[in-house]
Amino acid sequence: MMNTGIDFKAIQAVLFDLDGTLIHLNVDFAQMRADVEALLPRYRLSAEGKKSLYTLELIDDCIQTLTHNGQEKSAAIFQREAEAAIVAVEMEAANTAELHPGASELLEQLRHQGIKIGIVTRNCRAAIERILEKYPLTYDALLTRDDVEEVKPDPEHLLTALQLLDVAPRHALMVGDHPMDVQAGRAVGARTVAVLTGYSPTESFLPEQPDLILEQVWRLIAYL
């Protein structure tokens, strides 16, 4: 077992990303982006210079632009249409979701050890509920993007989950398959674990300096 620098005996809660970490959810992000960008000309908006923004952040940017220009009604309509577009893609992906090997057993082991479990995901609640109907995972708190004002990598997402779990960040572990999960965990003062079952290779995590990198999430059991 490698020396991670994490005092696992002090960990009272583990926060997990869902897609790519516990569940394989084949979301067509390219289609999602294209569907949202297709709405922009109708509102005299453009994605030019905004390629670095994730789709959710692009939507927020467009809403802010419309609101700033005094087009509150258009902003509200655009928000509904954009949200409907991304939810449609997420719901389709939810139909074919698959559980990552050992994920359920890991959560059960955490519960057995008295460690609280949170799930923090940028996906919509409807898609997550559909997935959990098929795979009823063990958890104590679940926060989708519909449940918080700001989603990760904004620290509010994780802090809200930790408040629900009544655990201080220094006693928490954030586990995810994307550099933003590590970024969010470090931002709140939690320890972080990167897993390589999503679309992010090892080198993409290195700038964020996770405390531990695992090939698969179930391997966390060996450290607990």
Side-chain angles (χ1 to χ4, degrees):
M1 184 182 302
M2 68 177 288
N3 181 11
T4 67
I6 303 174
D7 181 5
F8 283 96
K9 293 182 179 179
I11 298 300
Q12 300 173 9
V14 182
L15 301 180
F16 291 95
D17 169 58
L18 190 73
D19 176 17
T21 302
L22 298 174
I23 297 283
H24 174 66
L25 188 60
N26 192 26
V27 178
D28 191 339
F29 290 107
Q31 185 63 55
M32 180 185 292
R33 180 72 174 218
D35 290 347
V36 170
E37 289 192 0
L39 298 172
L40 303 187
R42 191 186 315 163
Y43 296 89
R44 297 184 179 180
L45 295 167
S46 173
E48 185 176 353
K50 300 175 183 178
K51 294 299 182 182
S52 63
L53 294 179
Y54 297 113
T55 302
L56 290 180
E57 283 70 21
L58 172 63
I59 293 171
D60 287 341
D61 183 84
C62 291
I63 292 170
Q64 291 174 18
T65 297
L66 291 170
T67 302
H68 179 74
N69 293 337
Q71 299 174 270
E72 289 84 359
K73 184 176 180 180
S74 292
I77 296 172
F78 169 77
Q79 183 174 12
R80 288 197 297 271
E81 291 187 334
E83 177 69 13
I86 61 177
V87 166
V89 174
E90 290 173 332
M91 294 299 285
E92 182 175 353
N95 293 330
T96 57
E98 297 179 353
L99 188 65
H100 277 310
S104 181
E105 291 81 0
L106 170 62
L107 299 183
E108 290 294 338
Q109 179 66 23
L110 291 172
R111 172 61 58 81
H112 178 72
Q113 294 181 213
I115 298 174
K116 296 179 181 179
I117 303 164
I119 296 176
V120 286
T121 173
R122 285 165 58 96
N123 288 283
C124 69
R125 177 163 281 274
I128 300 308
E129 289 180 345
R130 179 172 293 183
I131 293 168
L132 293 177
E133 287 178 1
K134 184 176 181 181
Y135 302 110
L137 298 175
T138 298
Y139 63 89
D140 301 293
L142 167 64
L143 289 176
T144 71
R145 72 164 179 269
D146 298 324
D147 304 311
V148 291
E149 289 294 324
E150 302 291 342
V151 295
K152 58 182 181 172
D154 192 289
E156 180 187 328
H157 203 165
L158 274 62
L159 289 174
T160 302
L162 290 173
Q163 288 170 1
L164 290 173
L165 297 173
D166 194 26
V167 172
R170 68 181 182 277
H171 294 304
L173 196 64
M174 175 64 207
V175 183
D177 73 306
H178 194 282
M180 76 166 61
D181 296 310
V182 177
Q183 180 184 350
R186 287 176 58 83
V188 302
R191 292 296 191 169
T192 58
V193 176
V195 293
L196 303 179
T197 44
Y199 298 104
S200 302
T202 300
E203 53 268 24
S204 68
F205 286 105
L206 299 183
E208 304 301 336
Q209 299 181 312
D211 295 292
L212 179 64
I213 298 178
L214 299 174
E215 290 289 336
Q216 295 178 314
V217 73
W218 68 265
R219 294 185 180 274
L220 186 61
I221 291 177
Y223 296 86
L224 298 169

